[in-house]
């Protein structure tokens, strides 16, 4: 199950998200799109969970909350992503990257 997390602060990085969201085996894919130049986040991220139960637990914990380092602005808003699954997301990111070359 892949979720889209909205309202990610522009100053956020993948490293910050991995620290906040624990690399504990409950998820296997994290993508934080960045503006060209790679210094500022576009404001959303995708995270794929290995099971629906893990996705539901993540939603319960983070919906309407703030990341520790970013308590101003809008709280996180989580929705089901259009693209689902590890392989589908990886392919999607690779295709987007190839289009920028």
């Amino acid at each position: 199950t892949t979720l889209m997390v909205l309202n990610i602060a522009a100053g956020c990085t993948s490293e910050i998200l991995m620290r906040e969201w624990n690399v504990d085996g409950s998820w296997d894919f994290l993508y934080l799109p960045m503006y060209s130049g790679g210094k500022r986040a576009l404001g959303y991220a995708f995270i794929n969970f290995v099971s629906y139960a893990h996705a539901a637990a993540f939603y319960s914990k983070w919906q309407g909350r703030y990341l520790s380092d970013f308590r101003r602005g809008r709280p996180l808003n989580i929705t089901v992503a259009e693209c689902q699954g590890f392989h589908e997301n990886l392919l999607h990111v690779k295709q987007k990257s190839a289009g920028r070359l």
Side-chain angles (χ1 to χ4, degrees):
T1 303
T2 306
L3 299 178
M4 181 179 189
V5 183
L6 302 162
N7 301 331
I8 301 283
C12 194
T13 65
S14 295
E15 291 78 16
I16 290 170
L17 293 180
M18 287 189 285
R19 188 176 63 237
E20 285 274 352
W21 297 339
N22 300 324
V23 182
D24 60 3
S26 65
W27 54 271
D28 58 7
F29 178 88
L30 175 65
Y31 176 54
L32 177 65
M34 305 294 274
Y35 284 104
S36 60
K39 296 193 174 162
R40 298 186 61 75
L42 285 174
Y44 56 92
F46 298 94
I47 184 167
N48 184 69
F49 292 89
V50 298
S51 73
Y52 174 82
H54 288 300
F58 179 88
Y59 180 90
S60 294
K61 180 175 182 179
W62 288 102
Q63 173 62 23
R65 304 276 172 105
Y66 294 89
L67 297 170
S68 297
D69 294 343
F70 303 96
R71 298 217 176 258
R72 297 201 307 192
R74 300 168 84 184
L76 299 178
N77 183 27
I78 303 170
T79 186
V80 175
E82 192 172 309
C83 185
Q84 289 291 311
F86 174 82
H87 295 292
E88 291 79 3
N89 277 287
L90 191 59
L91 180 62
H92 184 74
V93 170
K94 284 183 178 182
Q95 287 173 342
K96 287 189 85 140
S97 295
R100 289 187 215 153
L101 298 176

